[in-house]
Coordinates of all heavy atoms in Angstrom, one line a residue:
M1 N 137.8 163.1 181.7 CA 137.7 162.3 180.5 C 139.2 162.2 179.9 O 139.8 163.0 179.6 CB 136.8 163.0 179.4 CG 136.7 162.3 178.1 SD 135.4 163.0 177.1 CE 136.1 164.6 176.8
V2 N 139.6 160.9 179.7 CA 140.8 160.5 179.2 C 140.7 160.1 177.8 O 139.8 159.3 177.3 CB 141.6 159.5 180.0 CG1 142.8 159.1 179.4 CG2 141.8 160.0 181.4
C3 N 141.5 160.7 176.8 CA 141.5 160.2 175.5 C 142.9 160.0 174.9 O 143.8 160.4 175.5 CB 140.7 161.1 174.6 SG 141.6 162.7 174.2
K4 N 143.0 159.2 174.0 CA 144.4 158.8 173.2 C 144.1 159.4 171.8 O 143.2 159.0 171.2 CB 144.7 157.4 173.2 CG 144.8 156.8 174.7 CD 145.1 155.4 174.9 CE 145.1 154.9 176.3 NZ 145.2 153.4 176.4
E5 N 145.1 160.0 171.3 CA 145.1 160.5 169.9 C 146.4 160.6 169.3 O 147.5 160.9 170.0 CB 144.5 161.9 169.8 CG 144.3 162.5 168.5 CD 143.2 161.7 167.8 OE1 142.2 161.3 168.4 OE2 143.4 161.5 166.6
E6 N 146.5 160.2 168.0 CA 147.8 160.1 167.4 C 148.0 161.5 166.6 O 147.2 162.1 165.9 CB 147.8 159.0 166.3 CG 149.2 158.9 165.8 CD 149.4 157.6 164.9 OE1 149.2 156.5 165.5 OE2 149.7 157.7 163.7
F7 N 149.2 162.0 166.6 CA 149.6 163.4 166.1 C 150.9 163.2 165.4 O 151.6 162.0 165.5 CB 149.8 164.4 167.1 CG 148.5 164.7 168.0 CD1 148.2 164.1 169.1 CD2 147.8 165.8 167.4 CE1 147.1 164.6 169.9 CE2 146.5 166.0 168.2 CZ 146.2 165.4 169.3
N8 N 151.3 164.2 164.8 CA 152.8 164.1 164.2 C 153.5 165.1 165.1 O 153.3 166.3 165.3 CB 152.8 164.7 162.8 CG 152.2 163.7 161.9 OD1 152.5 162.5 162.0 ND2 151.5 164.1 160.9
F9 N 154.7 164.6 165.7 CA 155.6 165.2 166.6 C 156.2 166.5 165.9 O 156.7 166.3 164.7 CB 156.6 164.3 167.2 CG 157.7 164.8 168.1 CD1 157.2 165.1 169.4 CD2 158.9 165.3 167.7 CE1 158.2 165.8 170.2 CE2 159.7 165.8 168.5 CZ 159.4 166.1 169.7
V10 N 156.3 167.6 166.4 CA 157.2 168.7 166.0 C 158.3 168.9 166.9 O 159.5 168.9 166.4 CB 156.2 170.0 165.9 CG1 157.1 171.2 165.4 CG2 155.1 169.7 165.0
D11 N 158.1 169.2 168.2 CA 159.2 169.5 169.1 C 158.7 169.4 170.5 O 157.5 169.4 170.7 CB 160.0 170.8 168.8 CG 159.2 172.0 169.0 OD1 158.0 171.9 169.3 OD2 159.7 173.1 168.7
K12 N 159.7 169.4 171.4 CA 159.3 169.5 172.9 C 160.2 170.4 173.6 O 161.3 170.8 173.1 CB 159.5 168.1 173.5 CG 160.8 167.6 173.4 CD 160.9 166.1 174.1 CE 162.4 165.7 174.0 NZ 162.6 164.4 174.3
K13 N 159.8 170.9 174.8 CA 160.6 171.9 175.4 C 160.4 171.7 177.0 O 159.4 171.5 177.3 CB 160.2 173.4 175.2 CG 160.9 174.4 176.0 CD 160.4 175.9 175.8 CE 161.1 176.8 176.6 NZ 160.5 178.1 176.6
V14 N 161.6 171.6 177.8 CA 161.4 171.5 179.1 C 161.8 172.9 179.7 O 162.8 173.6 179.2 CB 162.3 170.5 179.8 CG1 162.5 170.4 181.2 CG2 162.0 169.1 179.1
G15 N 161.0 173.4 180.6 CA 161.3 174.7 181.1 C 160.8 174.8 182.6 O 160.4 173.8 183.2
V16 N 160.9 176.1 183.2 CA 160.6 176.3 184.6 C 159.6 177.5 184.5 O 159.9 178.5 183.9 CB 161.7 176.5 185.5 CG1 161.2 176.9 186.9 CG2 162.8 175.3 185.4
T17 N 158.4 177.4 185.3 CA 157.4 178.4 185.4 C 158.0 179.6 186.2 O 159.0 179.4 186.9 CB 156.2 178.0 185.8 OG1 156.3 177.6 187.1 CG2 155.6 176.9 185.0
N18 N 157.4 180.7 186.3 CA 157.8 181.8 187.3 C 157.6 181.3 188.7 O 158.2 182.0 189.5 CB 156.8 183.0 186.9 CG 157.1 183.7 185.6 OD1 158.1 183.5 185.1 ND2 156.2 184.5 185.2
D19 N 156.9 180.5 188.9 CA 156.5 179.9 190.3 C 157.6 178.8 190.6 O 157.5 178.2 191.7 CB 155.2 179.2 190.5 CG 154.2 180.3 190.2 OD1 154.4 181.4 190.6 OD2 152.9 179.9 189.9
G20 N 158.5 178.5 189.8 CA 159.5 177.5 189.9 C 159.2 176.1 189.8 O 159.9 175.2 190.1
E21 N 158.1 175.9 189.0 CA 157.7 174.5 188.7 C 158.2 174.1 187.3 O 158.0 174.9 186.5 CB 156.1 174.4 188.5 CG 155.4 174.4 190.0 CD 153.9 174.1 189.8 OE1 153.2 175.0 189.3 OE2 153.5 173.0 190.0
Q22 N 158.8 172.9 187.3 CA 159.2 172.4 186.0 C 158.0 172.0 185.1 O 157.0 171.5 185.7 CB 160.2 171.3 186.3 CG 160.9 170.8 184.9 CD 161.9 169.6 185.3 OE1 161.8 168.9 186.2 NE2 162.8 169.6 184.4
Y23 N 158.2 172.2 183.9 CA 157.1 171.7 183.0 C 157.7 171.2 181.7 O 158.9 171.4 181.3 CB 156.1 172.8 182.6 CG 156.7 173.8 181.7 CD1 156.8 173.8 180.4 CD2 157.3 174.9 182.3 CE1 157.1 174.8 179.5 CE2 157.9 176.0 181.4 CZ 157.8 175.9 180.1 OH 158.4 176.8 179.3
L24 N 156.9 170.3 181.0 CA 157.3 169.8 179.6 C 156.2 170.2 178.6 O 155.0 169.9 179.0 CB 157.6 168.3 179.7 CG 157.9 167.8 178.2 CD1 159.3 167.0 178.3 CD2 156.8 166.7 177.7
S25 N 156.6 170.7 177.5 CA 155.7 171.2 176.5 C 155.9 170.4 175.1 O 157.1 170.4 174.8 CB 155.7 172.6 176.2 OG 155.0 173.0 175.2
I26 N 155.0 169.9 174.7 CA 155.0 169.0 173.3 C 154.3 169.8 172.3 O 153.0 170.0 172.5 CB 154.6 167.6 173.5 CG1 155.7 166.8 174.4 CG2 154.6 167.0 172.1 CD1 155.4 165.3 174.5
N27 N 154.8 170.1 171.2 CA 154.2 170.7 170.0 C 154.0 169.5 169.1 O 154.9 168.9 168.7 CB 154.9 171.8 169.4 CG 155.0 173.0 170.2 OD1 154.0 173.5 170.8 ND2 156.3 173.6 170.5
V28 N 152.8 169.5 168.5 CA 152.3 168.5 167.7 C 151.5 169.0 166.5 O 150.8 170.2 166.6 CB 151.6 167.3 168.3 CG1 152.5 166.5 169.2 CG2 150.4 167.8 169.0
L29 N 151.2 168.4 165.4 CA 150.4 168.7 164.3 C 149.3 167.6 164.2 O 149.6 166.3 164.4 CB 151.1 168.7 162.9 CG 152.0 169.8 162.8 CD1 152.8 169.8 161.4 CD2 151.3 171.3 162.8
S30 N 148.1 168.0 164.0 CA 147.0 166.9 164.0 C 147.0 166.5 162.4 O 147.8 167.0 161.6 CB 145.6 167.6 164.2 OG 145.4 168.7 163.2
K31 N 146.2 165.5 162.1 CA 146.1 165.1 160.8 C 145.7 166.1 159.9 O 146.0 165.9 158.5 CB 145.2 163.8 160.7 CG 145.9 162.7 161.6 CD 145.0 161.4 161.5 CE 145.8 160.4 162.4 NZ 145.5 159.0 161.9
S32 N 145.0 167.2 160.3 CA 144.4 168.2 159.4 C 145.5 169.5 159.4 O 145.0 170.5 159.1 CB 143.0 168.5 159.8 OG 143.0 169.1 161.1
N33 N 146.6 169.1 159.9 CA 147.7 170.1 160.1 C 147.5 171.3 160.8 O 148.0 172.4 160.7 CB 148.1 170.6 158.6 CG 148.9 169.6 157.9 OD1 149.7 168.8 158.5 ND2 148.8 169.6 156.6
K34 N 146.7 171.1 162.0 CA 146.5 172.1 163.0 C 147.6 171.9 164.1 O 147.7 170.8 164.5 CB 145.1 172.1 163.6 CG 144.0 172.4 162.6 CD 142.7 172.6 163.3 CE 141.7 172.9 162.2 NZ 140.2 172.9 162.8
K35 N 148.2 173.0 164.5 CA 149.2 172.9 165.6 C 148.6 172.9 166.9 O 147.7 173.8 167.2 CB 150.2 174.0 165.5 CG 151.4 173.9 166.3 CD 152.4 174.8 166.0 CE 153.7 174.7 166.8 NZ 154.7 175.8 166.6
F36 N 149.1 172.0 167.8 CA 148.6 171.9 169.2 C 149.8 171.9 170.2 O 150.8 171.4 169.7 CB 147.8 170.8 169.4 CG 146.4 170.8 168.7 CD1 146.2 170.2 167.6 CD2 145.4 171.4 169.3 CE1 145.0 170.3 166.9 CE2 144.1 171.5 168.8 CZ 144.0 170.8 167.6
N37 N 149.6 172.4 171.3 CA 150.7 172.2 172.4 C 150.1 171.7 173.6 O 149.1 172.2 174.1 CB 151.2 173.8 172.6 CG 152.2 173.7 173.7 OD1 151.9 173.5 174.9 ND2 153.4 174.1 173.3
F38 N 150.7 170.6 174.1 CA 150.2 170.1 175.3 C 151.4 170.1 176.4 O 152.4 169.9 176.1 CB 149.8 168.6 175.0 CG 148.6 168.4 174.0 CD1 149.0 168.0 172.8 CD2 147.4 168.8 174.4 CE1 147.9 168.0 171.8 CE2 146.3 168.7 173.4 CZ 146.6 168.2 172.1
M39 N 150.9 170.3 177.6 CA 151.8 170.4 178.7 C 151.6 169.5 179.9 O 150.4 169.1 180.0 CB 151.8 171.9 179.3 CG 152.3 172.9 178.3 SD 152.2 174.5 179.0 CE 153.1 174.4 180.3
T40 N 152.7 169.3 180.6 CA 152.5 168.5 181.9 C 153.5 169.1 182.9 O 154.5 169.7 182.5 CB 152.8 167.0 181.7 OG1 152.6 166.4 182.9 CG2 154.2 166.7 181.2
K41 N 153.2 168.9 184.0 CA 154.0 169.4 185.3 C 154.4 168.2 186.1 O 154.9 168.3 187.2 CB 153.3 170.5 186.2 CG 153.1 171.8 185.4 CD 152.6 172.8 186.3 CE 152.4 174.1 185.5 NZ 151.6 175.1 186.3
D42 N 153.9 167.0 185.6 CA 154.1 165.8 186.4 C 155.6 165.4 186.4 O 156.2 165.1 185.2 CB 153.3 164.6 185.8 CG 153.6 163.4 186.5 OD1 154.3 163.2 187.4 OD2 152.9 162.3 186.0
T43 N 156.4 165.3 187.3 CA 157.9 165.2 187.3 C 158.3 163.8 186.8 O 159.3 163.6 186.0 CB 158.4 165.4 188.6 OG1 157.9 164.6 189.7 CG2 158.4 166.9 189.0
K44 N 157.5 162.7 187.0 CA 157.7 161.5 186.7 C 157.6 161.4 185.0 O 158.5 160.8 184.4 CB 156.8 160.5 187.2 CG 157.1 160.2 188.7 CD 156.2 159.2 189.3 CE 156.4 159.0 190.7 NZ 155.5 158.1 191.4
L45 N 156.6 162.0 184.5 CA 156.4 162.0 183.1 C 157.4 162.8 182.4 O 157.9 162.5 181.2 CB 155.1 162.6 182.8 CG 154.6 162.4 181.3 CD1 154.6 161.0 180.7 CD2 153.2 163.0 181.1
I46 N 157.9 164.0 182.9 CA 158.9 164.8 182.5 C 160.2 164.1 182.4 O 161.0 164.1 181.4 CB 159.1 166.2 183.3 CG1 158.0 167.0 183.2 CG2 160.4 166.8 182.9 CD1 157.8 168.1 184.1
D47 N 160.5 163.3 183.5 CA 161.9 162.6 183.7 C 161.8 161.4 182.6 O 162.7 161.0 181.9 CB 162.0 161.9 185.0 CG 162.4 162.9 186.0 OD1 162.7 164.1 185.6 OD2 162.1 162.6 187.2
K48 N 160.6 160.9 182.2 CA 160.4 159.8 181.2 C 160.6 160.3 179.8 O 161.3 159.7 179.0 CB 159.1 159.1 181.4 CG 158.8 158.0 180.4 CD 157.4 157.5 180.7 CE 157.0 156.5 179.5 NZ 155.7 156.0 179.8
L49 N 160.0 161.4 179.5 CA 159.9 162.1 178.2 C 161.1 162.9 177.7 O 161.4 162.9 176.6 CB 158.6 162.8 177.9 CG 157.3 162.1 178.1 CD1 156.3 163.0 178.0 CD2 157.3 160.9 177.1
S50 N 161.8 163.5 178.7 CA 162.9 164.5 178.4 C 164.1 163.8 177.5 O 164.5 164.4 176.7 CB 163.5 165.0 179.7 OG 162.6 165.9 180.4
P51 N 164.5 162.6 178.0 CA 165.6 162.0 177.3 C 165.2 161.4 176.0 O 166.0 161.1 175.2 CB 166.2 161.0 178.2 CG 165.1 160.5 179.1 CD 164.1 161.8 179.2
L52 N 164.0 161.3 175.7 CA 163.5 160.6 174.4 C 163.9 161.5 173.1 O 163.7 162.6 173.2 CB 162.0 160.3 174.3 CG 161.4 159.2 175.2 CD1 159.9 159.2 175.1 CD2 162.0 158.0 174.9
N53 N 164.7 160.8 172.2 CA 164.9 161.5 171.0 C 163.9 161.1 169.9 O 164.0 160.0 169.3 CB 166.2 161.0 170.5 CG 166.8 161.8 169.4 OD1 166.2 162.8 169.1 ND2 167.8 161.4 168.9
I54 N 162.9 161.9 169.7 CA 161.8 161.8 168.7 C 162.1 162.4 167.4 O 162.3 163.6 167.6 CB 160.5 162.1 169.3 CG1 160.2 161.4 170.7 CG2 159.3 161.7 168.3 CD1 159.1 161.7 171.4
Q55 N 161.9 161.9 166.3 CA 162.2 162.6 165.1 C 161.1 163.5 164.8 O 160.0 163.1 164.9 CB 162.6 161.7 163.9 CG 163.9 160.9 164.1 CD 164.4 160.3 162.8 OE1 163.6 160.3 161.9 NE2 165.7 159.8 162.8
R56 N 161.5 164.6 164.2 CA 160.3 165.5 163.8 C 159.3 164.9 162.7 O 159.8 164.2 161.8 CB 161.0 166.9 163.0 CG 161.4 167.8 164.1 CD 162.0 169.0 163.3 NE 161.0 169.9 162.7 CZ 160.6 171.0 163.3 NH1 161.1 171.5 164.4 NH2 159.6 171.9 162.8
F57 N 158.1 165.2 162.9 CA 157.0 164.7 162.0 C 156.9 163.3 162.0 O 156.1 162.6 161.3 CB 157.1 165.1 160.6 CG 157.4 166.7 160.5 CD1 158.5 167.3 160.1 CD2 156.3 167.6 160.9 CE1 158.6 168.7 160.2 CE2 156.3 168.9 160.9 CZ 157.6 169.5 160.6
S58 N 157.4 162.5 163.2 CA 157.1 161.1 163.2 C 155.7 161.0 164.1 O 155.4 161.9 164.8 CB 158.2 160.4 163.9 OG 158.4 161.0 165.2
P59 N 155.0 159.9 164.0 CA 153.8 159.7 164.6 C 154.0 159.4 166.1 O 155.0 158.9 166.5 CB 153.1 158.5 164.0 CG 154.1 158.0 163.1 CD 155.2 158.8 162.9
I60 N 153.2 160.1 166.8 CA 153.2 160.0 168.4 C 151.8 159.9 169.0 O 151.0 160.6 168.4 CB 154.0 161.2 169.0 CG1 154.3 160.9 170.6 CG2 153.4 162.4 168.8 CD1 155.2 161.9 171.1
K61 N 151.6 158.9 169.9 CA 150.3 158.8 170.5 C 150.3 159.5 171.8 O 151.1 158.9 172.7 CB 149.7 157.4 170.5 CG 148.4 157.2 171.0 CD 148.0 155.8 171.1 CE 147.3 155.4 169.8 NZ 146.8 154.1 169.7
L62 N 149.5 160.4 172.1 CA 149.4 161.1 173.3 C 148.2 160.6 174.1 O 147.2 160.4 173.5 CB 149.4 162.6 173.2 CG 150.5 163.3 172.4 CD1 150.4 164.7 172.2 CD2 151.9 162.9 173.1
V63 N 148.4 160.6 175.4 CA 147.3 160.4 176.4 C 147.0 161.7 177.0 O 147.8 162.3 177.7 CB 147.5 159.3 177.4 CG1 146.3 159.0 178.3 CG2 148.1 158.0 176.6
L64 N 145.7 162.1 176.9 CA 145.3 163.5 177.3 C 144.2 163.4 178.3 O 143.2 162.6 178.2 CB 144.9 164.4 176.2 CG 145.9 164.6 175.1 CD1 145.4 165.1 173.8 CD2 147.1 165.3 175.5
D65 N 144.1 164.3 179.3 CA 143.1 164.4 180.3 C 142.4 165.6 180.2 O 142.9 166.7 180.4 CB 143.6 164.2 181.8 CG 142.7 164.1 182.8 OD1 141.4 163.7 182.4 OD2 142.9 164.4 183.9
F66 N 141.1 165.5 179.8 CA 140.2 166.8 179.6 C 139.4 166.9 181.0 O 138.8 165.9 181.3 CB 139.4 166.7 178.5 CG 140.2 166.8 177.2 CD1 140.6 165.6 176.6 CD2 140.4 168.1 176.6 CE1 141.2 165.8 175.4 CE2 141.1 168.2 175.4 CZ 141.5 167.1 174.8
E67 N 139.2 168.0 181.5 CA 138.5 168.3 182.7 C 137.6 169.6 182.6 O 138.2 170.6 182.2 CB 139.4 168.4 183.9 CG 138.7 168.4 185.2 CD 139.7 168.4 186.3 OE1 140.5 167.4 186.5 OE2 139.7 169.3 187.1
R68 N 136.5 169.6 182.9 CA 135.6 170.7 182.8 C 135.8 171.6 184.2 O 135.7 171.0 185.4 CB 134.2 170.2 182.8 CG 133.1 171.4 182.7 CD 133.2 171.7 181.2 NE 132.0 172.7 180.8 CZ 131.9 173.1 179.7 NH1 132.7 172.9 178.7 NH2 130.8 173.7 179.4
T69 N 136.3 172.8 184.1 CA 136.6 173.7 185.2 C 135.5 174.8 185.2 O 135.2 175.3 184.3 CB 137.9 174.2 184.9 OG1 138.9 173.1 184.9 CG2 138.4 175.0 186.2
F70 N 135.0 175.0 186.4 CA 134.0 176.1 186.7 C 134.7 177.3 187.5 O 135.4 177.1 188.4 CB 132.8 175.5 187.5 CG 132.1 174.5 186.7 CD1 132.5 173.1 187.0 CD2 131.1 174.7 185.8 CE1 131.7 172.1 186.4 CE2 130.4 173.8 185.2 CZ 130.8 172.5 185.4
N71 N 134.3 178.5 187.0 CA 134.7 179.7 187.6 C 133.4 180.2 188.3 O 132.5 180.8 187.5 CB 135.3 180.6 186.6 CG 135.8 181.9 187.3 OD1 135.3 182.3 188.1 ND2 136.8 182.6 186.6
K72 N 133.4 180.0 189.6 CA 132.2 180.5 190.3 C 131.9 182.0 190.2 O 130.7 182.5 190.2 CB 132.2 180.0 191.7 CG 132.1 178.5 191.8 CD 132.1 178.1 193.3 CE 132.1 176.5 193.5 NZ 132.2 176.2 194.7
E73 N 133.0 182.8 190.3 CA 132.9 184.2 190.3 C 132.2 184.8 189.1 O 131.4 185.6 189.0 CB 134.2 184.9 190.5 CG 134.8 184.6 191.9 CD 136.3 185.1 192.0 OE1 136.8 185.7 191.1 OE2 136.9 184.8 193.1
K74 N 132.7 184.2 187.8 CA 132.3 184.8 186.6 C 131.1 183.8 186.0 O 130.6 184.1 185.0 CB 133.4 184.6 185.5 CG 134.6 185.6 185.9 CD 135.7 185.6 184.9 CE 136.8 186.5 185.2 NZ 137.8 186.6 184.1
R75 N 130.7 182.9 186.8 CA 129.7 181.9 186.4 C 130.0 181.3 185.0 O 129.0 181.3 184.1 CB 128.4 182.6 186.4 CG 128.0 183.0 187.7 CD 126.6 183.4 187.8 NE 126.4 184.3 189.0 CZ 125.4 185.1 189.2 NH1 124.4 185.1 188.2 NH2 125.3 185.8 190.2
T76 N 131.1 180.9 184.7 CA 131.5 180.4 183.4 C 132.3 179.0 183.7 O 132.7 178.8 184.6 CB 132.4 181.3 182.6 OG1 133.6 181.5 183.4 CG2 131.7 182.6 182.2
S77 N 132.2 178.2 182.5 CA 133.0 177.0 182.6 C 133.8 176.9 181.3 O 133.5 177.5 180.4 CB 132.1 175.8 182.8 OG 131.3 175.6 181.7
Y78 N 134.9 176.1 181.3 CA 135.8 175.8 180.3 C 136.5 174.5 180.4 O 136.5 174.0 181.5 CB 136.8 176.9 180.1 CG 137.7 177.2 181.3 CD1 138.8 176.6 181.6 CD2 137.1 178.1 182.5 CE1 139.6 176.9 182.6 CE2 137.9 178.3 183.5 CZ 139.2 177.7 183.7 OH 140.0 177.8 184.8
W79 N 137.0 173.9 179.5 CA 137.8 172.7 179.4 C 139.2 173.0 179.6 O 139.9 173.9 179.0 CB 137.6 171.9 178.1 CG 136.1 171.4 177.9 CD1 135.1 171.9 177.3 CD2 135.6 170.2 178.6 NE1 134.0 171.1 177.4 CE2 134.3 170.0 178.1 CE3 136.3 169.2 179.3 CZ2 133.6 169.0 178.5 CZ3 135.5 168.1 179.6 CH2 134.1 168.0 179.3
T80 N 140.0 172.2 180.4 CA 141.4 172.2 180.6 C 141.8 170.9 180.1 O 141.2 169.9 180.1 CB 141.8 172.4 182.0 OG1 141.3 171.4 182.9 CG2 141.4 173.7 182.5
C81 N 143.0 170.8 179.6 CA 143.8 169.6 178.9 C 145.1 169.5 179.5 O 145.9 170.4 179.6 CB 143.6 169.8 177.6 SG 144.4 168.3 176.6
E82 N 145.4 168.4 179.9 CA 146.8 168.0 180.5 C 147.2 166.7 179.9 O 146.6 165.8 179.6 CB 146.8 168.0 182.0 CG 148.2 167.7 182.5 CD 148.2 167.7 184.1 OE1 147.1 167.9 184.8 OE2 149.3 167.4 184.6
L83 N 148.6 166.7 179.5 CA 149.2 165.6 179.0 C 149.5 164.7 180.1 O 150.1 165.1 181.1 CB 150.5 166.1 178.3 CG 151.5 165.0 177.8 CD1 150.8 164.3 176.6 CD2 152.8 165.5 177.4
I84 N 149.0 163.4 180.1 CA 149.3 162.4 181.1 C 150.1 161.2 180.7 O 150.4 160.4 181.5 CB 148.0 162.1 181.8 CG1 147.0 161.3 180.8 CG2 147.3 163.3 182.5 CD1 145.8 160.8 181.6
G85 N 150.4 161.2 179.4 CA 151.2 160.0 179.0 C 151.5 160.0 177.5 O 150.8 160.8 176.8
V86 N 152.4 159.1 177.1 CA 152.7 159.0 175.7 C 152.8 157.5 175.4 O 153.4 156.7 176.2 CB 154.1 159.6 175.3 CG1 154.5 159.3 173.8 CG2 153.9 161.2 175.5
E87 N 152.2 156.9 174.4 CA 152.4 155.6 174.1 C 153.1 155.4 172.8 O 153.2 156.2 171.9 CB 150.9 154.9 173.8 CG 150.2 155.0 175.2 CD 148.8 154.3 175.1 OE1 148.4 153.9 174.1 OE2 148.2 154.2 176.1

């Protein structure tokens, strides 16, 4: 399920996981002042967003992909969310 939502930008970080994968993390505030962090490992999106100079607390519209994930061993399910774009 893909959704688009407007947030207030706080900051972003580019880093490398323990497995050697590059990631980009964006911290934002919702309209009700709740802090969220969204991540992507998509190299094209990282290359596109890394050089952007976004001012703190300016509005930003994120495109997010929510997916239901099932753990067969524990017989549970949960939602995962990935940043797939910025408009």
